[in-house]
Amino acid sequence: FMFQLLTLSANYTTGILKDTELEFKINVLDVNTFLSFGLNSFTNRIPFLFKASIHESGKANKVPLSMAVTGDIISLETTELEAGKEMEVTIKMSAHFLNLNIGGVPLIIKDVENMICIVGGVDIWLKLDQI
């Protein structure tokens, strides 16, 4: 049994940057996964939260990494179900909001609705508005 679901989605582009597409895998398929199809929109934001730790060059300790993403889910695919194997679900989405932090420092914040795009501490859309 293999499950694939495609949704009609609106990819919001700003005319300045292309839409941000993400693809990630999870190991659970439950009611919350299906609810996220309708809830991850401009009106109801329930973010996918990713947390990890990474090694940075020249540092002895691991550094925390976190990313929060909301947007439209474009597709959802599962692997074939097999006894004794873990299920894998691949989700592809177009992000309206993305916040990536490493070591507690925001590297990228992109918020399409509010026209905010901060990369490395610089709001590039604010600079364009001032031109």
Side-chain angles (χ1 to χ4, degrees), residues 12-20 95-96 109-119 122-131:
Y12 295 92
T13 181
T14 61
I16 300 167
L17 294 176
K18 291 183 179 181
D19 58 318
T20 304
H96 302 159
I109 300 173
K110 180 181 176 187
D111 184 346
V112 174
E113 181 183 8
N114 295 307
M115 291 297 292
I116 297 169
C117 186
I118 300 171
V119 179
V122 178
D123 189 338
I124 60 173
W125 287 341
L126 181 63
K127 285 187 164 243
L128 289 173
D129 284 344
Q130 295 172 348
I131 295 176

Side-chain angles (χ1 to χ4, degrees), residues 1-93:
F1 171 74
M2 187 169 177
F3 178 76
Q4 182 174 6
L5 179 63
L6 297 172
T7 62
L8 294 176
S9 171
N11 288 336
Y12 295 92
T13 181
T14 61
I16 300 167
L17 294 176
K18 291 183 179 181
D19 58 318
T20 304
E21 272 193 15
L22 301 168
E23 185 174 300
F24 53 92
K25 296 179 184 201
I26 58 176
N27 295 95
V28 64
L29 183 63
D30 61 8
V31 69
N32 292 321
T33 307
F34 286 101
L35 285 175
S36 66
F37 277 90
L39 295 178
N40 274 333
S41 64
F42 281 129
T43 54
N44 300 304
R45 291 184 184 90
I46 298 177
F48 284 95
L49 299 173
F50 302 92
K51 290 187 174 189
S53 58
I54 60 172
H55 284 284
E56 283 189 324
S57 179
K59 294 189 178 178
N61 296 327
K62 293 180 180 178
V63 177
L65 177 142
S66 66
M67 183 171 70
V69 181
T70 61
D72 289 328
I73 295 178
I74 298 167
S75 67
L76 180 141
E77 262 184 72
T78 65
T79 54
E80 290 189 27
L81 299 178
E82 292 183 40
K85 280 198 159 185
E86 196 168 353
M87 173 187 255
E88 193 170 88
V89 181
T90 302
I91 297 175
K92 185 187 272 188
M93 73 183 300

